Amino acid sequence: MKHQNKLNAGLFSFIKPALSLLAAFALLALTACGGGGGGGVADTGDGSGNGGDDAPTVDETPFLKLSNFQAASVVIGQADFAGLAPNQGGTVDANTIYAPIGNPGVANGILYLPDTSNHRLLGFNSIPTANNASADFVLGQTDFTTRSSGFTNLKFDFPHSVAFGSGKMFLADNENNRVLIWNNIPASGNIAADVVLGGSGCDNTGLDLPESVWVVNGKLIVADELNNRVLIWNSIPTENNAPADIVLGQNSFTRCRKNDDTQDGSADSTPSARTLFTPSAVWSDGTRLVVVDDANNRVLIWNNFPTANFTPADVVLGQSNFTNNTYDDDNQDGSPGTPSARTLDRPTAVYSNGQQLFVGDTSNNRVLVWNSFPTASFTPADVVLGQGDFTQSTANDLDQDGTEDGQASAQTLHAPSGIFQSGNQLIIADSDNGRYLIFNGQ
């Protein structure tokens, strides 16, 4: 589905519990456009970018051999690969999922899955090996059959990506405009968060629909979607409402306009190497930084981790230069066309194992895989999941006739919005199919 609508919803803050009406561009719970997405990768605080204190480092994470249109091996959230209804067409339970957005994660052998529209985070004591597995515990709800939102330290409102580092857990609590931190990684349900960051606002403490969190080298990175910026804390916050240290996409913490290279408070007609438009996902290995710049239909790469505000990116994917932003514009004439291995349409998720780069190309209903980490702009991807080739984009189109089928399958996707690798497995949040898919490396 092209350019999914955004959700108009009341926004709340753990710090400032006042109703806000500024959510005119948030992700639609039923048709996830943000992911995002985006970043749910974990880190132990040693710069490894791994999934928990017993997980391999990035250098030890295996190369995943995948093929075009590869079938998934396991589905979570549906009884089988054909299912696509939210909560399996019934009521919420331990084996159901509703429009997941954002990267999952693994810590200490436990799989954590954001179940966004059920306002919860599901915990599986091991990665499921069979379809329709039930979670072992839940955070955000007191039981598996409740799906209410809230803004206490026990409740969430459309939670997105999860991440781990320094023995802590981090969650982008999207529509509460906050990031929650647990000082100890929960291994059971109904455990309250210890620290909260955010609250509506355009300053060094405010967040507006944070999409993605990432932890590396003791730094916290957050994609602050509607403030059109990425915030970086140089050390893990231990107190509520701690201010960020660095901002990307803007030259100061009080600027929040999209694509405002001149920083005059108005959006420019084109983006630049240092502007952002609803960033939805982040990843870093401590040296390189990757940001999914959703509404600019591109992915930005910094070859060296930024240490100053408004640092320009070095590489762009999805476009041939930093001033273009049309979706699926392979010939770069400013008009959308057929997708290719080089183009993007509202990407919302990113993950890397240090060798390969994985991007959730959400509105093209596919995940793109670069088998070597890109170092040049407009580099084409090597592998596509969710489609038979790089020119297809229809959701749930198993026969590749350009028409959406009436059911999902093990090979198709509908608005993928989260990615994570654990060992030889790639886990994808298939948002509009209400499920997570596990792909085994070949």
Side-chain angles (χ1 to χ4, degrees):
M1 179 179 295
K2 297 289 185 183
H3 304 291
Q4 288 89 353
N5 294 322
K6 299 284 186 173
L7 176 67
N8 293 309
L11 303 179
F12 300 90
S13 167
F14 184 52
I15 303 169
K16 308 170 187 175
L19 181 65
S20 169
L21 298 177
L22 302 177
F25 209 67
L27 285 171
L28 179 65
L30 297 176
T31 54
C33 181
V41 180
D43 174 79
T44 60
D46 56 6
S48 58
N50 59 39
D53 292 338
D54 62 353
T57 66
V58 164
D59 291 339
E60 296 169 339
T61 304
F63 180 95
L64 269 179
K65 184 179 179 181
L66 302 165
S67 60
N68 291 349
F69 218 27
Q70 180 174 327
S73 299
V74 177
V75 61
I76 305 171
Q78 300 289 351
D80 54 39
F81 288 110
L84 49 71
N87 291 327
Q88 300 193 25
T91 57
V92 62
D93 212 328
N95 63 335
T96 72
I97 288 174
Y98 188 176
I101 302 171
N103 285 9
V106 174
N108 304 320
I110 299 174
L111 174 64
Y112 297 81
L113 300 182
D115 187 8
T116 304
S117 293
N118 283 326
H119 310 290
R120 64 185 187 174
L121 183 68
L122 296 176
F124 296 77
N125 289 337
S126 60
I127 296 177
T129 57
N131 296 344
N132 204 28
S134 292
D136 295 292
F137 63 91
V138 60
L139 297 167
Q141 307 291 342
T142 56
D143 55 50
F144 288 112
T145 58
T146 304
R147 57 177 303 265
S148 61
S149 63
F151 51 90
T152 70
N153 56 0
L154 285 166
K155 298 287 288 183
F156 315 139
D157 195 355
F158 292 95
H160 285 42
S161 292
V162 65
F164 306 89
S166 303
K168 303 174 187 287
M169 185 173 83
F170 304 77
L171 181 69
D173 189 12
N174 182 260
E175 294 204 13
N176 279 329
N177 296 319
R178 64 184 185 176
V179 170
L180 297 175
I181 304 174
W182 285 258
N183 289 335
N184 297 288
I185 299 173
S188 60
N190 204 35
I191 296 177
D194 300 291
V195 178
V196 61
L197 305 175
S200 299
C202 179
D203 52 33
N204 60 358
T205 62
L207 293 169
D208 196 347
L209 300 181
E211 288 279 334
S212 173
V213 289
W214 189 278
V215 181
V216 67
N217 281 359
K219 300 177 187 292
L220 173 64
I221 311 166
V222 176
D224 187 12
E225 184 193 27
L226 286 197
N227 281 330
N228 301 294
R229 64 186 186 177
V230 168
L231 297 180
I232 300 171
W233 284 258
N234 286 332
S235 59
I236 302 301
T238 58
E239 297 182 356
N240 294 344
N241 209 24
D245 298 293
I246 298 170
V247 59
L248 300 177
Q250 311 290 340
N251 73 355
S252 74
F253 291 104
T254 57
R255 298 286 189 182
C256 291
R257 291 291 294 174
K258 66 183 182 184
N259 291 339
D260 183 13
D261 190 75
T262 60
Q263 292 290 277
D264 62 357
S266 299
D268 301 333
S269 59
T270 61
S272 75
R274 54 187 187 172
T275 64
L276 296 169
F277 187 1
T278 63
S280 57
V282 290
W283 174 91
S284 178
D285 59 1
T287 300
R288 299 166 295 192
L289 172 67
V290 183
V291 175
V292 176
D293 192 11
D294 173 8
N296 278 326
N297 300 295
R298 65 184 188 176
V299 172
L300 299 177
I301 300 174
W302 284 257
N303 292 332
N304 296 288
F305 195 91
T307 58
N309 295 347
F310 218 27
T311 301
D314 300 294
V315 177
V316 60
L317 302 177
Q319 309 291 341
S320 65
N321 59 56
F322 291 105
T323 59
N324 289 351
N325 67 353
T326 302
Y327 71 91
D328 288 337
D329 183 14
D330 188 73
N331 65 6
Q332 294 288 275
D333 64 352
S335 298
T338 301
S340 75
R342 305 189 294 183
T343 66
L344 296 167
D345 188 357
R346 300 305 294 267
T348 62
V350 66
Y351 175 81
S352 176
N353 55 25
Q355 307 170 72
Q356 298 164 285
L357 183 69
F358 306 86
V359 172
D361 188 11
T362 305
S363 288
N364 279 327
N365 302 294
R366 64 185 187 177
V367 168
L368 297 178
V369 183
W370 284 260
N371 282 333
S372 297
F373 200 96
T375 58
S377 296
F378 218 29
T379 300
D382 300 293
V383 177
V384 60
L385 300 175
Q387 304 292 344
D389 60 49
F390 290 105
T391 64
Q392 302 294 324
S393 64
T394 303
N396 291 335
D397 183 15
L398 182 61
D399 59 8
Q400 294 287 275
D401 64 353
T403 302
E404 188 171 337
D405 303 331
Q407 62 184 25
S409 75
Q411 293 171 258
T412 60
L413 296 168
H414 194 178
S417 58
I419 307 169
F420 181 78
Q421 180 182 348
S422 179
N424 198 43
Q425 296 180 309
L426 192 71
I427 305 170
I428 295 176
D430 189 16
S431 185
D432 283 8
N433 283 328
R435 64 185 187 174
Y436 283 87
L437 295 177
I438 300 177
F439 294 80
N440 292 331
Q442 298 173 341

